[in-house]
Amino acid sequence: METATLIVVVLTIALALFFDFTNGFHDTANAMATPIATGALKPKVAVLLAAVLNLVGAFLSTEVAKTISGGIINEGDISSAILPAVIFAGLIGAITWNMITWLLGLPSSSSHALFGGLIGATIVGVGASAVNFSVVVSKVILPAVIAPLTAGIIAFTATKVAYAITRRYDSKPDGRDGFRVGQIFTSSLVALAHGTNDAQKTMGVITLLLITVGLQTSDEPQLWVIVACAVTIALGTYMGGWRIIRTLGKGLTEVKPAQGFAAESSTASTILASSALGFALSTTQVASGSVIGSGLGRRGATVRWRTAGRIMVGWLLTLPAAGGVGALAALLVVWFGFWGILIDAVIAVVIILGLFWRSRRDEVNAANAMSEVADSGKAVKVKRNPPPTRRQRSLAREEARRVTASEAAAQRAKSAERSAGGPKDGGAA
């Protein structure tokens, strides 16, 4: 292997692992925003638990990694001399979009950022024919549309059922503290599911790179790749991602324990099913859909479509925006060859450091992540005085009938007393 190619491979692996790190802190909110918001888990305990379970989940499945390493890009049609540079440029697009949306506290898809970056870089560096668009549609686009809707419907239904079952036993219809214990289990399941899906994407990218340069023949990730990606995403998860936690935990809806339990159950089941099928799903979109669905399932909720639309616009922009940055990075490689890669590396470092420095001016951490509503506002607004339930209306009517009957009986008694007292007074006179 030539020295220049070796340098590109090392730089690309390092950049892929950094993307994995950003994926970890960007998507921590998917699992832990709701239990933090409801008080089921302390912030630092929550992210530590998520980190450990992300690490475990990364070892449970490699189906998604296979989809990326042998599906989205037709690596057989791309020269081994150019593909590492294309992957490098695509990762720059993905990382740039991840950092921008993290700074804005916007729940966007790290997965779609990665796919967009790779697709944009491939189109510019090689040509559109090198992209397997049928796989992109079947395993990326369609799940991106269907999964959030499915998760939202499941969460909506689960929230309705949870409130209906517990209403008669709980004098505090919004509290239901018993669900806090359940949230520890369901949020842990989401973190585990996140590891089975998102950690695989970086494994797939590194595996694709190794296959291209002739260091590997199978599309199964090597053990060291699995370990490196698992540890990196776990470390990123532990770092927090407090801006997006604040948006999902308080910006979408005022999450109560029953809602959090329903949302997390919906998110985990959807992601685990997708991982088993090899769908490279966006856990962010699924989690956001679940939170909104659980908010709508709570009595007295209304949707602020302006804010929900803002988040959805972010979803729609992710693929083309990351693809555009990846394409620009690939263009520099086309123009300047090896030096273009070094220029890309310098630009990537400047962008990362610049966005990180900007985030320090308005820091969000474990201490203040839940201290106020996120800048994005509330996508679901719950009325302070929600309308009564059917059972409450029935009880009110029954109470009103009892009061009316009691007043009527008292009135009759007074009338009888007056009638009985009249003749006696007259006789005495």
Side-chain angles (χ1 to χ4, degrees):
M1 183 182 298
E2 296 180 0
T3 302
T5 303
L6 179 61
I7 292 174
V8 173
V9 169
V10 171
L11 285 175
T12 304
I13 291 176
L15 199 62
L17 291 176
F18 184 76
F19 167 78
D20 203 31
F21 178 82
T22 66
N23 194 350
F25 73 70
H26 196 278
D27 291 357
T28 305
N30 298 334
M32 293 302 167
T34 49
I36 292 172
T38 63
L41 290 170
K42 297 293 185 183
K44 290 187 177 180
V45 173
V47 296
L48 176 60
L49 180 61
V52 172
L53 291 170
N54 262 321
L55 179 66
V56 174
F59 289 93
L60 298 182
S61 171
T62 58
E63 292 303 316
V64 175
K66 294 177 184 177
T67 296
I68 294 174
S69 63
I72 291 179
I73 296 176
N74 298 320
E75 64 272 9
D77 299 338
I78 305 176
S79 168
S80 59
I82 189 63
L83 185 55
V86 168
I87 296 175
F88 185 85
L91 287 168
I92 290 177
I95 291 171
T96 300
W97 185 250
N98 264 6
M99 293 293 291
I100 290 173
T101 51
W102 164 75
L103 180 64
L104 297 175
L106 187 64
S108 69
S109 170
S110 297
S111 308
H112 288 182
L114 175 60
F115 301 144
L118 289 176
I119 292 170
T122 301
I123 291 174
V124 171
V126 183
S129 61
V131 179
N132 193 337
F133 286 103
S134 63
V135 173
V136 172
V137 171
S138 64
K139 291 203 171 185
V140 178
I141 303 297
L142 288 180
V145 175
I146 296 172
L149 292 176
T150 302
I153 292 171
I154 294 172
F156 173 85
T157 305
T159 303
K160 285 288 188 184
V161 171
Y163 275 98
I165 291 174
T166 58
R167 182 176 293 122
R168 67 182 62 184
Y169 305 111
D170 194 341
S171 60
K172 299 178 180 179
D174 280 338
R176 290 167 171 77
D177 289 342
F179 280 104
R180 294 181 194 273
V181 178
Q183 274 194 280
I184 297 175
F185 170 75
T186 52
S187 61
S188 299
L189 196 59
V190 174
L192 187 71
H194 182 263
T196 67
N197 199 281
D198 278 48
Q200 313 301 318
K201 293 156 190 171
T202 306
M203 295 181 199
V205 169
I206 296 177
T207 300
L208 175 61
L209 175 68
L210 296 177
I211 292 173
T212 301
V213 297
L215 295 178
Q216 183 173 333
T217 56
S218 170
D219 61 357
E220 185 76 30
Q222 296 182 33
L223 179 61
W224 74 267
V225 175
I226 296 174
V227 172
C229 292
V231 171
T232 304
I233 198 170
L235 181 60
T237 300
Y238 182 70
M239 297 300 291
W242 301 107
R243 292 174 180 272
I244 301 173
I245 286 178
R246 184 175 67 175
T247 297
L248 275 184
K250 297 190 74 173
L252 287 177
T253 181
E254 183 187 355
V255 180
K256 297 296 181 181
Q259 291 173 255
F261 180 86
E264 292 150 13
S265 300
S266 172
T267 300
S269 59
T270 304
I271 296 171
L272 287 172
S274 299
S275 296
L277 295 172
F279 292 151
L281 198 65
S282 166
T283 54
T284 301
Q285 292 182 1
V286 174
S288 298
S290 296
V291 171
I292 293 175
S294 70
L296 292 176
R298 180 178 163 198
R299 182 172 53 90
T302 57
V303 177
R304 286 186 175 176
W305 292 111
R306 181 177 180 181
T307 301
R310 175 175 174 262
I311 294 174
M312 292 176 188
V313 167
W315 295 352
L316 294 175
L317 289 178
T318 298
L319 271 171
V325 177
L328 290 175
L331 191 61
L332 291 177
V333 175
V334 171
W335 285 348
F336 303 110
F338 176 74
W339 290 104
I341 296 175
L342 297 182
I343 294 172
D344 280 342
V346 173
I347 293 175
V349 171
V350 170
I351 290 173
I352 292 168
L353 293 179
L355 292 174
F356 179 78
W357 174 81
R358 175 62 182 83
S359 72
R360 298 295 89 190
R361 294 171 56 185
D362 180 25
E363 185 177 3
V364 180
N365 51 43
N368 65 9
M370 290 299 168
S371 63
E372 59 186 47
V373 176
D375 294 337
S376 60
K378 291 183 179 179
V380 178
K381 178 184 178 182
V382 178
K383 297 177 181 178
R384 291 188 176 183
N385 298 307
T389 63
R390 285 193 299 271
R391 185 170 183 274
Q392 289 172 335
R393 289 196 296 268
S394 176
L395 291 174
R397 286 194 297 269
E398 185 179 341
E399 180 65 24
R401 283 195 295 268
R402 282 200 300 266
V403 171
T404 301
S406 177
E407 291 176 349
Q411 186 65 31
R412 287 195 297 270
K414 288 182 181 179
S415 298
E417 184 179 348
R418 285 196 297 269
S419 298
K424 291 180 181 180
D425 292 343

